[in-house]
Amino acid sequence: MKIARYTAYGGPETIRLEEAPVPVPGPGDVLVRVRAAPVTAGDVRMRSGLVPRGLGLMVRLAIGVLRPRVAPGWAFAGEVAAVGAGITRFAPGQRVFGLTGFKGGAHRDYLVIGEDGPILPLPDTLTFEAGAAFFFGGLTAAEFLIDRAKVRPGERVLVAGATGAVGGAAVQIARHLGARVAATASPANHALARRLGASEVSDYRDGPPAGPFEVIVDVMGQLGWQGARPLLAEGGRLVLITADLAAMLGSALRPRRDGRQMITGTNKDDLPSMLRLVGLHQEGAYTPVVGQVLPFADLAEAHRIAETFHKPGNLVVVMDQTSA
Ligand SMILES: NC(=O)c1ccc[n+]([C@@H]2O[C@H](COP(=O)([O-])OP(=O)(O)OC[C@H]3O[C@@H](n4cnc5c(N)ncnc54)[C@H](OP(=O)(O)O)[C@@H]3O)[C@@H](O)[C@H]2O)c1
């Protein structure tokens, strides 16, 4: 089978596709034939080591000082190829999706994952591509909007950067929570933003739309506290999805300022969070946007597209259907 590997921190050319034996599932393990996997902003950051200001040292201490010691690929959708001894919840042929998470390892033809790990049956309503795209932005948007910003019906929410993986999920989930959603996006993505549920759409290059907003989701951290503060209503919450070290420390030490709140951090990727997102999908509240789909052989090209931070929705690579 083919597996992807990072050889150094650097550009997409540091990715190698190598041959490896198909693993054998041990007791309690499931062997998944991967059909599709997303290439996310997280993958780009792991590969390049390029993270928001002040976080570089911390990231390198966590994933490797000289080169990324994580395997490429954060999530997957596919089907069960074989199961180890003692498996009761999954059977060969079953469609599944899940996370390899921080340690990675989804950018390969087959992977092994524990039955009790972050793997779930893939709903019939999702293709392999949509299953691959499902968790990355969705988990982030759900946690920040529902648990952290606690969006309420009737509130006005601005999603700045509304059509990528996180923004596309945030618009849908904010709408589901009963908010009126304003979105900023490049003109080419305005129709998509409206389709996802935004009632007002503008180009972020023209500046943010007029406030007040109860919640602002600043996907790329371009507004920051200074830019967002004048747009926030009394009691408003700024969600900085991309935050540098100073903003993270600031929001931890002084989350409430002038009757408003700044929220930063990272989202959980555990089974309860995954199950909640599946529930939101089943209620009709969230379906991931599948943007470009490329063959696994073009993984480096997929990284080139993802690292522009202008992709519509989620970028997915599909594994070779004839290689098994
Ligand atoms: N805190 C967390 O736990 C967490 C979790 C996931 C991701 N993230 C971070 O969130 C960010 C977005 O991830 P993603 O997967 O959604 O990326 P993505 O799919 O590449 O989407 C990026 C979005 O940002 C917009 N954008 C680009 N430049 C902008 C600018 N100058 N002003 C306003 N909007 C701009 C793009 O709009 P157009 O395409 O219309 O130009 C697009 O909608 C990344 O920095 C990622 O590392 C954080």
Side-chain angles (χ1 to χ4, degrees), residues 40-42 45 136 140 144 160-167 184-186 189 204 219-220 222 240-242 265-267 306 308-313:
T40 69
R45 296 202 184 283
F136 184 76
T140 307
F144 279 98
T163 55
V166 176
T184 65
S186 306
N189 292 325
Y204 51 77
V219 172
M220 291 303 292
Q222 296 290 326
L240 273 182
I241 301 290
T242 303
T266 53
N267 62 275
T308 65
F309 292 103
H310 290 291
K311 64 182 168 55

Side-chain angles (χ1 to χ4, degrees), residues 32-281:
V32 177
R33 182 179 177 194
V34 181
R35 295 293 198 166
V39 178
T40 69
D43 293 316
V44 165
R45 296 202 184 283
M46 296 283 169
R47 186 213 75 229
S48 64
L50 295 175
V51 292
R53 195 156 6 112
L55 298 174
L57 181 63
M58 231 180 316
V59 167
R60 287 200 181 212
L61 288 175
I63 68 166
V65 175
L66 298 177
R67 68 177 176 84
R69 293 191 177 278
V70 292
W74 185 85
F76 63 87
E79 59 210 354
V80 175
V83 295
I87 296 295
T88 54
R89 287 177 41 227
F90 296 99
Q94 187 177 357
R95 285 160 30 99
V96 291
F97 66 158
L99 308 179
T100 46
F102 194 56
K103 66 178 173 35
H107 290 164
R108 56 186 61 196
D109 289 326
Y110 291 86
L111 62 83
V112 167
I113 184 167
E115 176 184 39
D116 297 326
I119 174 172
L120 291 170
L122 179 65
D124 291 342
T125 45
L126 294 171
T127 61
F128 287 127
E129 288 85 352
F134 192 80
F135 289 112
F136 184 76
L139 288 177
T140 307
E143 181 167 332
F144 279 98
L145 291 176
I146 299 171
D147 305 330
R148 311 277 312 270
K150 298 184 171 49
V151 171
R152 293 184 289 268
E155 289 192 319
R156 189 163 175 244
V157 173
L158 169 62
V159 181
T163 55
V166 176
V171 171
Q172 295 181 66
I173 293 171
R175 257 300 288 269
H176 172 70
L177 296 172
R180 290 173 293 133
V181 181
T184 65
S186 306
N189 292 325
H190 284 189
L192 174 58
R194 284 189 194 283
R195 207 161 64 238
L196 293 171
S199 48
E200 294 169 57
V201 183
S202 59
D203 186 348
Y204 51 77
R205 281 165 292 205
D206 298 334
F213 296 99
E214 276 77 27
V215 174
I216 296 177
V217 181
D218 186 359
V219 172
M220 291 303 292
Q222 296 290 326
L223 292 170
W225 179 253
Q226 297 303 329
R229 165 69 186 81
L231 307 173
L232 276 179
E234 176 75 32
R237 292 84 80 200
L238 167 64
V239 179
L240 273 182
I241 301 290
T242 303
D244 61 16
L245 182 61
M248 283 195 171
L249 290 176
S251 74
L253 297 172
R254 199 159 73 86
R256 286 171 210 285
R257 309 147 182 231
D258 317 330
R260 290 152 181 85
Q261 188 186 355
M262 177 154 86
I263 298 168
T264 67
T266 53
N267 62 275
K268 295 192 287 289
D269 55 8
D270 52 14
L271 261 181
S273 306
M274 293 167 69
L275 284 166
R276 173 172 67 181
L277 195 64
V278 172
L280 284 169
H281 170 68

